[in-house]
Amino acid sequence: MYELKTLLPQFEIKLPTCMYALKNVSLGADTLAGASTSSCTRKANANAAATCALDLDSLGRQIQQLLKGETSTVAARQEKVLKQLEDLKAQLGQMRAGLGVCGKTIQHTTAFQNGGLKEVPTNSRDTLQTNHVKPHCSLAKQVPLQDVVINGHPNFIPYALLALKNAWQKLYTIDVKTFTHSTMADIGPAAREFEANLAKVPVNPSLPKINVTLIWKNCEHTEMISSPTMYVPIYGEVNIIRYLGRVGPAEYRYEGSPLCNEIDLVLDICYQLLRCNTHKTQVAMVRLLDKRLQQQQFFGGTQISVADIGVYSSLIRMPTITDKDLTPALVAWRKRAKLVVQI
């Protein structure tokens, strides 16, 4: 290859002799320094080594103190987490006892058939034959469910609570208490009318009950909190209906029904309907509901279900959808559902 020209000329650098010389800190310092300089360097190194040893001891003590503090902090956090797990376990045990679900296997026990009532044996013989107790035994002990809190905006009123409370008057009790958060200056006439209608429904103390606290709040989505120890919200009125349908009376529990998928599909359509921004998309969702209803009396058969509650509540929250947008089958269904939900 061709040779390139040298950019910098090669010449020797002459150091000035009019100034004192500084210690060379490069790797070749030992070879350039003299005997006197070497002895001074060894003394300096010895002093530096002693100082480094002291620094290492001090650093070691600081690290031990830091680790000791972090260990105590981690232990305290672990104790807090364990306590929360114990509280959660106790809550799940109460819910399992209230629903009458066996802790080992999934069984349809007599408590499940009685809508949340737990059978109480009267003697040792009954204790051995608990599974053979008649479903309508007179001795029954009610185990209350965990209270739930629902945060909702007055512009998105959860009419499903009122619909379920009216539909379950003879089966189950939903005791709803309402409060207003400081973020809301006024809840408006519609929310006040909703509160008045909730108060009109009587509470039967002899029936299984779930306490619901409804808080009017400036929030974007309707959310439900079912556990006081950990904030795990359930978003959307449709999903709240699903939860209440699982803990409510046995007549409305649809997980073991052959129409389980159909009911979930109708509730999914309701979820999409509530999020439609234009009237055209809302009417398209209504057409899907009409296809699911067909010629049936209710969504899912001849008996009303949580799917009907979800559809009825969703249509109330959509004032732009009138009877002109509904098919004749949906208009007839709405009249039948109104007799049950009484809204």
Side-chain angles (χ1 to χ4, degrees), residues 9-153:
Q10 297 181 359
F11 56 87
E12 296 181 359
I13 299 177
K14 295 182 181 180
L15 298 176
T17 57
C18 61
M19 300 178 64
Y20 60 88
L22 295 176
K23 179 183 176 182
N24 193 352
V25 296
S26 63
L27 295 177
D30 294 337
T31 58
L32 298 177
S36 60
T37 306
S38 299
S39 61
C40 294
T41 303
R42 286 193 296 270
K43 291 180 181 180
N45 291 338
N47 294 333
T51 305
C52 183
L54 294 176
D55 293 341
L56 289 176
D57 293 339
S58 177
L59 181 61
R61 289 192 296 268
Q62 293 178 4
I63 292 175
Q64 289 179 358
Q65 294 177 359
L66 182 61
L67 291 177
K68 184 178 179 180
E70 290 185 353
T71 303
S72 59
T73 304
V74 171
R77 291 179 180 176
Q78 184 178 4
E79 291 295 332
K80 184 178 179 181
V81 171
L82 291 176
K83 187 177 183 302
Q84 291 179 350
L85 291 175
E86 289 295 332
D87 294 341
L88 180 60
K89 182 179 179 182
Q91 293 177 17
L92 292 176
Q94 292 179 1
M95 294 179 64
R96 184 182 294 112
L99 294 174
V101 179
C102 179
K104 295 182 179 179
T105 58
I106 300 177
Q107 300 177 359
H108 293 280
T109 59
T110 54
F112 180 84
Q113 297 172 1
N114 288 340
L117 296 180
K118 181 180 179 181
E119 304 294 343
V120 180
T122 56
N123 51 42
S124 59
R125 182 178 178 182
D126 293 336
T127 303
L128 296 176
Q129 300 178 356
T130 305
N131 294 332
H132 301 287
V133 179
K134 294 182 180 180
H136 300 285
C137 179
S138 60
L139 294 177
K141 180 180 179 182
Q142 178 184 345
V143 180
L145 292 172
Q146 182 67 45
D147 299 351
V148 298
V149 177
I150 296 178
N151 297 322
H153 196 282

Side-chain angles (χ1 to χ4, degrees), residues 228-302:
T229 57
M230 53 182 61
Y231 189 84
V232 183
I234 298 176
Y235 290 106
E237 182 182 1
V238 173
N239 293 323
I240 296 175
I241 294 174
R242 285 190 171 103
Y243 175 85
L244 296 177
R246 283 167 169 80
V247 302
E251 291 81 357
Y252 282 79
R253 299 176 188 170
Y254 65 93
E255 288 183 326
S257 170
L259 299 173
C260 175
N261 294 334
E262 179 67 20
I263 293 176
D264 273 330
L265 180 59
V266 173
L267 292 176
D268 288 340
I269 297 175
C270 295
Y271 187 87
Q272 297 175 9
L273 174 62
L274 294 174
R275 278 152 184 78
C276 292
N277 297 324
T278 62
H279 183 69
K280 183 177 181 180
T281 55
Q282 293 174 1
V283 173
M285 291 295 107
V286 171
R287 295 293 181 266
L288 291 179
L289 290 174
D290 179 67
K291 291 181 179 180
R292 309 317 304 182
L293 179 63
Q294 297 179 356
Q295 300 300 323
Q296 303 177 110
Q297 293 185 358
F298 297 100
F299 288 94
T302 58

